[in-house]
Amino acid sequence: MNVNQSIYAGILVACLFDGLSVNAQTVAVNKIAIEKYAPQSGSFPACTHIDRSGKIEIVTSGDRLFYRTDSTSSFRQSPISVLVDAHSVAFNPLEKRFYATDTGNHRLITFADPANDQWENFATSLADIKLQRPHDILFDAETGWMYTLNPDSSQVFRFKGADGKVGVLDLSQPLGYSRALTIADGTLYVVGSSHGVVVEVTDFEKQEFKIHRSFGKKRNAPAGSWQGTGLVLNDVDFHDGHWYATSYFCPSYAGEHNCDEYKFIRFQTWQDFEEGTWEDLSHLLPSKVVPYFLTPHEQGLDIGVFNHETRGDSACVYRLITGPAAS
């Protein structure tokens, strides 16, 4: 498969496979196109996430950030050089500042301009709890809250940097290792990676939530394969009428099993997620890469990918487009 060209799909068929079977059925869907979005040639040193704020795009690439101020320019390396194994960036338009999860340094930092080397240490703890390898961070435009999480302990923090407000939601009981957060239609979702579940937070203040469990889960693990572990979710996000989900499947953890099967799926409802009525879109991405965080926007759905075995090889952003735009 030539991954530098757009790959088109008109009719997708949910695949049959050996062992425990998803409820396979033939599903007619809108056309889909997936193409390499950035960089246009070569690879980033790493790639877990892309953030979009107006014309500014920032790719989180391990110890460095890459940015550009318009889609026709090449990405440039930010002079901010203090990061260790960073995972994501979010822009707060109320403060006109970016927040980054400096994962390896167990903290959050902020900066106003990725082209400048000026940055500030925002927090090493929230709600009197130490940050431990914070992964995802996002801004809720409806409420002004920002959210981040400790993945090992499944503690979700919300805060408003301008006035010091902070809260914490402890999801250590229903969740194991958790990588991602999502806001869709005003609702916060917490992605339980090792357990293959998604927690829908119905009331953060009252600590109320409900759990969506993925179909066919076999054992808890931080990474694996469909046949060996069931879904090991990296991210789940909503775009153009469907939920999309990525899993941490790679040769090192898959062993004798197929590491590409169900690493990138989509479904329409949480009932579909729980019953296994989903579509496998994995063949639209290169083999043996890990699809990580998802970024939905008006132009499509961006997918950060990397090669677990060879860092810096195949680390890039792919873009999924649906409907007439994919024709």
Side-chain angles (χ1 to χ4, degrees):
M1 174 170 55
N2 183 353
V3 299
N4 292 319
Q5 297 177 346
S6 296
I7 308 167
Y8 296 94
I11 303 294
L12 294 179
V13 179
C15 299
L16 289 170
F17 54 92
D18 295 333
L20 186 59
S21 296
V22 165
N23 300 333
Q25 57 181 301
T26 301
V27 184
V29 298
N30 290 333
K31 289 183 178 180
I32 295 176
I34 287 187
E35 60 186 3
K36 185 177 180 181
Y37 178 69
Q40 286 301 307
S41 62
S43 174
F44 293 119
C47 181
T48 50
H49 178 257
I50 183 170
D51 178 73
R52 297 165 54 86
S53 173
K55 293 183 178 181
I56 298 177
E57 296 176 300
I58 300 180
V59 171
T60 307
S61 181
D63 297 345
R64 303 308 292 255
L65 302 174
F66 288 80
Y67 74 98
R68 65 183 178 187
T69 55
D70 65 82
S71 59
T72 62
S73 301
S74 298
F75 278 86
R76 292 182 288 176
Q77 183 172 283
S78 169
I80 297 172
S81 59
V82 298
L83 302 170
V84 175
D85 194 25
H87 276 60
S88 61
V89 170
F91 182 67
N92 185 324
L94 301 179
E95 301 177 21
K96 295 181 173 55
R97 296 187 67 82
F98 293 92
Y99 283 73
T101 56
D102 189 4
T103 306
N105 285 321
H106 311 290
R107 64 181 177 178
L108 304 179
I109 71 165
T110 68
F111 55 93
D113 184 357
N116 193 301
D117 65 357
Q118 301 300 306
W119 61 276
E120 295 179 6
N121 183 14
F122 176 73
T124 56
S125 64
L126 291 169
D128 296 322
I129 299 172
K130 288 185 177 181
L131 295 176
Q132 295 290 331
R133 291 189 59 78
H135 270 44
D136 205 2
I137 188 165
L138 51 81
F139 173 78
D140 184 357
E142 292 187 9
T143 64
W145 286 109
M146 296 198 73
Y147 294 89
T148 191
L149 83 163
N150 279 343
D152 287 314
S153 55
S154 298
Q155 293 156 326
V156 181
F157 304 96
R158 71 175 186 180
F159 60 93
K160 293 184 178 179
D163 57 19
K165 291 182 179 179
V166 63
V168 61
L169 174 62
D170 185 351
L171 295 175
S172 57
Q173 289 300 315
L175 293 182
Y177 187 73
S178 303
R179 290 189 174 99
L181 300 166
T182 290
I183 291 179
D185 196 25
T187 299
L188 175 68
Y189 296 86
V190 186
V191 179
S193 305
S194 60
H195 285 36
V197 305
V198 177
V199 167
E200 179 178 342
V201 181
T202 53
D203 193 316
F204 194 103
E205 189 71 31
K206 295 180 180 179
Q207 310 277 290
E208 295 177 350
F209 54 86
K210 56 184 177 181
I211 304 172
H212 305 291
R213 304 184 186 278
S214 63
F215 174 81
K217 187 64 177 175
K218 302 165 185 68
R219 63 181 178 87
N220 298 332
S225 68
W226 165 249
Q227 292 186 9
T229 59
L231 300 184
V232 182
L233 299 167
N234 291 324
D235 199 5
V236 177
D237 222 317
F238 191 79
H239 172 67
D240 195 24
H242 285 82
W243 289 96
Y244 291 82
T246 59
S247 278
Y248 207 121
F249 295 164
C250 62
S252 297
Y253 284 90
E256 62 183 9
H257 300 304
N258 182 358
C259 65
D260 292 319
E261 191 171 38
Y262 296 110
K263 69 181 180 183
F264 183 41
I265 64 172
R266 78 172 186 173
F267 52 92
Q268 290 186 302
T269 68
W270 290 115
Q271 182 176 344
D272 292 339
F273 178 71
E274 294 168 355
E275 295 179 354
T277 307
W278 55 56
E279 303 164 39
D280 189 5
L281 306 181
S282 305
H283 62 286
L284 300 178
L285 291 172
S287 177
K288 299 180 182 179
V289 302
V290 177
Y292 208 75
F293 285 153
L294 302 169
T295 306
H297 50 87
E298 292 181 356
Q299 287 75 41
L301 177 71
D302 291 344
I303 311 157
V305 310
F306 60 87
N307 187 313
H308 175 90
E309 285 71 26
T310 308
R311 296 301 173 101
D313 179 25
S314 306
C316 60
V317 177
Y318 283 85
R319 175 164 293 178
L320 178 146
I321 304 169
T322 60
S327 300

PDB file of all heavy atoms in Angstrom, residues 27-49:
ATOM      1  N   VAL A  27     -21.674  -3.094   5.785  1.00  0.00           N
ATOM      2  CA  VAL A  27     -22.193  -1.778   6.123  1.00  0.00           C
ATOM      3  C   VAL A  27     -21.868  -0.804   4.996  1.00  0.00           C
ATOM      4  O   VAL A  27     -20.715  -0.645   4.620  1.00  0.00           O
ATOM      5  CB  VAL A  27     -21.575  -1.253   7.431  1.00  0.00           C
ATOM      6  CG1 VAL A  27     -22.214   0.081   7.812  1.00  0.00           C
ATOM      7  CG2 VAL A  27     -21.745  -2.265   8.545  1.00  0.00           C
ATOM      8  N   ALA A  28     -22.901  -0.182   4.429  1.00  0.00           N
ATOM      9  CA  ALA A  28     -22.696   0.855   3.419  1.00  0.00           C
ATOM     10  C   ALA A  28     -22.456   2.173   4.123  1.00  0.00           C
ATOM     11  O   ALA A  28     -23.232   2.591   4.968  1.00  0.00           O
ATOM     12  CB  ALA A  28     -23.914   0.953   2.515  1.00  0.00           C
ATOM     13  N   VAL A  29     -21.340   2.838   3.796  1.00  0.00           N
ATOM     14  CA  VAL A  29     -20.990   4.086   4.461  1.00  0.00           C
ATOM     15  C   VAL A  29     -20.591   5.114   3.429  1.00  0.00           C
ATOM     16  O   VAL A  29     -20.372   4.805   2.256  1.00  0.00           O
ATOM     17  CB  VAL A  29     -19.826   3.883   5.452  1.00  0.00           C
ATOM     18  CG1 VAL A  29     -20.208   2.914   6.537  1.00  0.00           C
ATOM     19  CG2 VAL A  29     -18.577   3.404   4.716  1.00  0.00           C
ATOM     20  N   ASN A  30     -20.510   6.361   3.869  1.00  0.00           N
ATOM     21  CA  ASN A  30     -20.008   7.408   2.996  1.00  0.00           C
ATOM     22  C   ASN A  30     -18.562   7.124   2.622  1.00  0.00           C
ATOM     23  O   ASN A  30     -17.846   6.408   3.325  1.00  0.00           O
ATOM     24  CB  ASN A  30     -20.094   8.768   3.699  1.00  0.00           C
ATOM     25  CG  ASN A  30     -21.521   9.227   3.869  1.00  0.00           C
ATOM     26  OD1 ASN A  30     -22.391   8.860   3.093  1.00  0.00           O
ATOM     27  ND2 ASN A  30     -21.757  10.023   4.895  1.00  0.00           N
ATOM     28  N   LYS A  31     -18.110   7.733   1.559  1.00  0.00           N
ATOM     29  CA  LYS A  31     -16.731   7.545   1.142  1.00  0.00           C
ATOM     30  C   LYS A  31     -15.780   8.092   2.195  1.00  0.00           C
ATOM     31  O   LYS A  31     -16.060   9.062   2.878  1.00  0.00           O
ATOM     32  CB  LYS A  31     -16.489   8.237  -0.194  1.00  0.00           C
ATOM     33  CG  LYS A  31     -17.174   7.542  -1.366  1.00  0.00           C
ATOM     34  CD  LYS A  31     -16.845   8.230  -2.677  1.00  0.00           C
ATOM     35  CE  LYS A  31     -17.482   7.496  -3.845  1.00  0.00           C
ATOM     36  NZ  LYS A  31     -17.184   8.152  -5.135  1.00  0.00           N
ATOM     37  N   ILE A  32     -14.653   7.427   2.305  1.00  0.00           N
ATOM     38  CA  ILE A  32     -13.624   7.822   3.263  1.00  0.00           C
ATOM     39  C   ILE A  32     -12.309   7.966   2.518  1.00  0.00           C
ATOM     40  O   ILE A  32     -11.982   7.157   1.655  1.00  0.00           O
ATOM     41  CB  ILE A  32     -13.452   6.768   4.369  1.00  0.00           C
ATOM     42  CG1 ILE A  32     -14.714   6.661   5.215  1.00  0.00           C
ATOM     43  CG2 ILE A  32     -12.253   7.113   5.260  1.00  0.00           C
ATOM     44  CD1 ILE A  32     -14.637   5.569   6.247  1.00  0.00           C
ATOM     45  N   ALA A  33     -11.561   8.997   2.854  1.00  0.00           N
ATOM     46  CA  ALA A  33     -10.202   9.142   2.344  1.00  0.00           C
ATOM     47  C   ALA A  33      -9.267   9.373   3.516  1.00  0.00           C
ATOM     48  O   ALA A  33      -9.592  10.109   4.441  1.00  0.00           O
ATOM     49  CB  ALA A  33     -10.102  10.308   1.367  1.00  0.00           C
ATOM     50  N   ILE A  34      -8.122   8.716   3.508  1.00  0.00           N
ATOM     51  CA  ILE A  34      -7.083   8.964   4.492  1.00  0.00           C
ATOM     52  C   ILE A  34      -5.803   9.281   3.736  1.00  0.00           C
ATOM     53  O   ILE A  34      -5.425   8.557   2.807  1.00  0.00           O
ATOM     54  CB  ILE A  34      -6.874   7.762   5.430  1.00  0.00           C
ATOM     55  CG1 ILE A  34      -8.032   7.637   6.413  1.00  0.00           C
ATOM     56  CG2 ILE A  34      -5.564   7.915   6.201  1.00  0.00           C
ATOM     57  CD1 ILE A  34      -7.837   6.583   7.476  1.00  0.00           C
ATOM     58  N   GLU A  35      -5.175  10.380   4.115  1.00  0.00           N
ATOM     59  CA  GLU A  35      -3.946  10.762   3.450  1.00  0.00           C
ATOM     60  C   GLU A  35      -2.948  11.275   4.475  1.00  0.00           C
ATOM     61  O   GLU A  35      -3.319  11.717   5.559  1.00  0.00           O
ATOM     62  CB  GLU A  35      -4.211  11.857   2.412  1.00  0.00           C
ATOM     63  CG  GLU A  35      -4.798  13.134   2.991  1.00  0.00           C
ATOM     64  CD  GLU A  35      -5.191  14.139   1.926  1.00  0.00           C
ATOM     65  OE1 GLU A  35      -5.060  13.809   0.746  1.00  0.00           O
ATOM     66  OE2 GLU A  35      -5.634  15.231   2.301  1.00  0.00           O
ATOM     67  N   LYS A  36      -1.677  11.191   4.127  1.00  0.00           N
ATOM     68  CA  LYS A  36      -0.648  11.747   4.994  1.00  0.00           C
ATOM     69  C   LYS A  36      -0.768  13.259   4.972  1.00  0.00           C
ATOM     70  O   LYS A  36      -0.759  13.873   3.914  1.00  0.00           O
ATOM     71  CB  LYS A  36       0.737  11.312   4.529  1.00  0.00           C
ATOM     72  CG  LYS A  36       1.854  11.752   5.467  1.00  0.00           C
ATOM     73  CD  LYS A  36       3.213  11.245   5.008  1.00  0.00           C
ATOM     74  CE  LYS A  36       4.313  11.690   5.949  1.00  0.00           C
ATOM     75  NZ  LYS A  36       5.658  11.241   5.509  1.00  0.00           N
ATOM     76  N   TYR A  37      -0.861  13.859   6.161  1.00  0.00           N
ATOM     77  CA  TYR A  37      -1.071  15.298   6.260  1.00  0.00           C
ATOM     78  C   TYR A  37       0.218  16.037   6.602  1.00  0.00           C
ATOM     79  O   TYR A  37       0.518  17.092   6.032  1.00  0.00           O
ATOM     80  CB  TYR A  37      -2.137  15.581   7.313  1.00  0.00           C
ATOM     81  CG  TYR A  37      -2.396  17.046   7.539  1.00  0.00           C
ATOM     82  CD1 TYR A  37      -3.005  17.827   6.547  1.00  0.00           C
ATOM     83  CD2 TYR A  37      -2.036  17.668   8.732  1.00  0.00           C
ATOM     84  CE1 TYR A  37      -3.227  19.182   6.741  1.00  0.00           C
ATOM     85  CE2 TYR A  37      -2.264  19.016   8.940  1.00  0.00           C
ATOM     86  CZ  TYR A  37      -2.859  19.773   7.935  1.00  0.00           C
ATOM     87  OH  TYR A  37      -3.080  21.106   8.131  1.00  0.00           O
ATOM     88  N   ALA A  38       0.986  15.503   7.541  1.00  0.00           N
ATOM     89  CA  ALA A  38       2.217  16.193   7.950  1.00  0.00           C
ATOM     90  C   ALA A  38       3.191  15.202   8.602  1.00  0.00           C
ATOM     91  O   ALA A  38       2.754  14.297   9.317  1.00  0.00           O
ATOM     92  CB  ALA A  38       1.887  17.311   8.938  1.00  0.00           C
ATOM     93  N   PRO A  39       4.493  15.360   8.375  1.00  0.00           N
ATOM     94  CA  PRO A  39       5.063  16.248   7.357  1.00  0.00           C
ATOM     95  C   PRO A  39       4.838  15.687   5.965  1.00  0.00           C
ATOM     96  O   PRO A  39       4.566  14.495   5.817  1.00  0.00           O
ATOM     97  CB  PRO A  39       6.550  16.266   7.717  1.00  0.00           C
ATOM     98  CG  PRO A  39       6.793  14.920   8.325  1.00  0.00           C
ATOM     99  CD  PRO A  39       5.532  14.590   9.071  1.00  0.00           C
ATOM    100  N   GLN A  40       4.926  16.508   4.960  1.00  0.00           N
ATOM    101  CA  GLN A  40       4.662  16.057   3.601  1.00  0.00           C
ATOM    102  C   GLN A  40       5.686  15.031   3.137  1.00  0.00           C
ATOM    103  O   GLN A  40       5.392  14.166   2.327  1.00  0.00           O
ATOM    104  CB  GLN A  40       4.630  17.246   2.642  1.00  0.00           C
ATOM    105  CG  GLN A  40       3.385  18.088   2.772  1.00  0.00           C
ATOM    106  CD  GLN A  40       2.107  17.300   2.516  1.00  0.00           C
ATOM    107  OE1 GLN A  40       1.975  16.654   1.485  1.00  0.00           O
ATOM    108  NE2 GLN A  40       1.175  17.323   3.464  1.00  0.00           N
ATOM    109  N   SER A  41       6.898  15.121   3.642  1.00  0.00           N
ATOM    110  CA  SER A  41       7.920  14.126   3.347  1.00  0.00           C
ATOM    111  C   SER A  41       8.687  13.819   4.618  1.00  0.00           C
ATOM    112  O   SER A  41       8.771  14.657   5.522  1.00  0.00           O
ATOM    113  CB  SER A  41       8.881  14.625   2.260  1.00  0.00           C
ATOM    114  OG  SER A  41       9.566  15.785   2.687  1.00  0.00           O
ATOM    115  N   GLY A  42       9.223  12.632   4.716  1.00  0.00           N
ATOM    116  CA  GLY A  42       9.978  12.263   5.888  1.00  0.00           C
ATOM    117  C   GLY A  42       9.102  11.993   7.096  1.00  0.00           C
ATOM    118  O   GLY A  42       7.942  11.611   6.974  1.00  0.00           O
ATOM    119  N   SER A  43       9.645  12.231   8.265  1.00  0.00           N
ATOM    120  CA  SER A  43       8.982  11.863   9.511  1.00  0.00           C
ATOM    121  C   SER A  43       9.365  12.847  10.610  1.00  0.00           C
ATOM    122  O   SER A  43      10.436  13.447  10.589  1.00  0.00           O
ATOM    123  CB  SER A  43       9.405  10.444   9.903  1.00  0.00           C
ATOM    124  OG  SER A  43       8.895  10.081  11.160  1.00  0.00           O
ATOM    125  N   PHE A  44       8.456  13.021  11.598  1.00  0.00           N
ATOM    126  CA  PHE A  44       8.815  13.708  12.820  1.00  0.00           C
ATOM    127  C   PHE A  44       9.675  12.770  13.684  1.00  0.00           C
ATOM    128  O   PHE A  44       9.635  11.552  13.486  1.00  0.00           O
ATOM    129  CB  PHE A  44       7.567  14.112  13.605  1.00  0.00           C
ATOM    130  CG  PHE A  44       6.720  15.162  12.950  1.00  0.00           C
ATOM    131  CD1 PHE A  44       5.408  14.893  12.589  1.00  0.00           C
ATOM    132  CD2 PHE A  44       7.220  16.426  12.705  1.00  0.00           C
ATOM    133  CE1 PHE A  44       4.610  15.855  11.989  1.00  0.00           C
ATOM    134  CE2 PHE A  44       6.435  17.408  12.110  1.00  0.00           C
ATOM    135  CZ  PHE A  44       5.130  17.117  11.746  1.00  0.00           C
ATOM    136  N   PRO A  45      10.424  13.302  14.654  1.00  0.00           N
ATOM    137  CA  PRO A  45      11.158  12.420  15.561  1.00  0.00           C
ATOM    138  C   PRO A  45      10.236  11.507  16.366  1.00  0.00           C
ATOM    139  O   PRO A  45      10.611  10.409  16.762  1.00  0.00           O
ATOM    140  CB  PRO A  45      11.909  13.398  16.475  1.00  0.00           C
ATOM    141  CG  PRO A  45      11.982  14.670  15.704  1.00  0.00           C
ATOM    142  CD  PRO A  45      10.732  14.719  14.889  1.00  0.00           C
ATOM    143  N   ALA A  46       9.026  11.986  16.616  1.00  0.00           N
ATOM    144  CA  ALA A  46       7.975  11.235  17.292  1.00  0.00           C
ATOM    145  C   ALA A  46       6.678  11.964  16.969  1.00  0.00           C
ATOM    146  O   ALA A  46       6.711  13.078  16.448  1.00  0.00           O
ATOM    147  CB  ALA A  46       8.206  11.173  18.796  1.00  0.00           C
ATOM    148  N   CYS A  47       5.540  11.374  17.274  1.00  0.00           N
ATOM    149  CA  CYS A  47       4.268  12.067  17.025  1.00  0.00           C
ATOM    150  C   CYS A  47       3.160  11.391  17.801  1.00  0.00           C
ATOM    151  O   CYS A  47       2.820  10.236  17.536  1.00  0.00           O
ATOM    152  CB  CYS A  47       3.937  12.081  15.537  1.00  0.00           C
ATOM    153  SG  CYS A  47       2.394  12.955  15.167  1.00  0.00           S
ATOM    154  N   THR A  48       2.599  12.123  18.764  1.00  0.00           N
ATOM    155  CA  THR A  48       1.452  11.612  19.507  1.00  0.00           C
ATOM    156  C   THR A  48       0.197  12.452  19.313  1.00  0.00           C
ATOM    157  O   THR A  48      -0.912  11.948  19.477  1.00  0.00           O
ATOM    158  CB  THR A  48       1.767  11.542  21.017  1.00  0.00           C
ATOM    159  OG1 THR A  48       2.311  12.804  21.447  1.00  0.00           O
ATOM    160  CG2 THR A  48       2.756  10.428  21.320  1.00  0.00           C
ATOM    161  N   HIS A  49       0.353  13.747  18.932  1.00  0.00           N
ATOM    162  CA  HIS A  49      -0.811  14.633  18.952  1.00  0.00           C
ATOM    163  C   HIS A  49      -0.561  15.847  18.071  1.00  0.00           C
ATOM    164  O   HIS A  49       0.582  16.302  17.921  1.00  0.00           O
ATOM    165  CB  HIS A  49      -1.058  15.082  20.397  1.00  0.00           C
ATOM    166  CG  HIS A  49      -2.196  16.036  20.572  1.00  0.00           C
ATOM    167  ND1 HIS A  49      -2.013  17.390  20.764  1.00  0.00           N
ATOM    168  CD2 HIS A  49      -3.534  15.837  20.584  1.00  0.00           C
ATOM    169  CE1 HIS A  49      -3.197  17.982  20.900  1.00  0.00           C
ATOM    170  NE2 HIS A  49      -4.126  17.063  20.788  1.00  0.00           N
TER     171      HIS A  49
END
